[in-house]
Amino acid sequence: MDDDVAVDFGEDGLVPAVAQDADTGEVLMLAYVSPEALERTRETGRAHYYSRSRDELWEKGATSGHVQAVQEIRVDCDADTLLYLVDQEGGACHTGHRSCFYRTIEGENVGEQVFDPDTVYE
């Protein structure tokens, strides 16, 4: 077994993490991960991130129930970005869409809305 890769959390102590559907390859979201969030993800098998706006650790789906079961964690060549390969329960985006990348730069909605955020986050 190889030694763990030393992730470079940089000056702010965070690295970006892309969540990708483990089966389809669809990119679901991008969020930030602290050392503690990475540790919790590895311990629980569920995606944890660090909210820069709320300045706190959070488990994806703790409020909505739309959890991400992490199948594998990959690290890029510079060890400063993570890729979470996940099984997504429900939608990944707080807007109710399956993916946060549900619209084009021209504003065209190209994604699927899978839940009503007003109902989930009331």
Side-chain angles (χ1 to χ4, degrees):
M1 183 168 163
D2 295 342
D3 292 330
D4 284 355
V5 174
V7 177
D8 180 2
F9 287 95
E11 292 181 18
D12 65 357
L14 301 173
V15 294
V18 175
Q20 181 180 35
D21 186 290
D23 294 326
T24 68
E26 179 182 20
V27 175
L28 300 172
M29 58 179 276
L30 178 134
Y32 290 87
V33 171
S34 64
E36 182 184 4
L38 179 57
E39 182 180 321
R40 293 285 299 138
T41 297
R42 295 181 75 184
E43 287 174 357
T44 66
R46 294 184 310 275
H48 287 72
Y49 300 101
Y50 189 84
S51 171
R52 296 179 301 167
S53 61
R54 295 189 313 263
D55 194 26
E56 67 183 17
L57 182 75
W58 60 283
E59 178 184 346
K60 177 68 179 152
T63 301
S64 67
H66 300 156
V67 297
Q68 293 175 341
V70 179
Q71 300 306 309
E72 185 175 27
I73 301 172
R74 296 186 185 176
V75 60
D76 78 335
C77 57
D78 295 324
D80 63 1
T81 303
L82 300 175
L83 175 66
Y84 283 2
L85 297 174
V86 304
D87 290 330
Q88 176 70 53
E89 182 72 35
C93 186
H94 72 281
T95 65
H97 290 83
R98 167 114 178 111
S99 168
C100 291
F101 299 96
Y102 64 89
R103 57 190 171 177
T104 67
I105 194 75
E106 291 84 16
E108 179 185 359
N109 189 333
V110 294
E112 176 187 10
Q113 190 164 29
V114 295
F115 71 92
D116 179 358
D118 292 336
T119 302
V120 171
Y121 302 112
E122 54 184 349

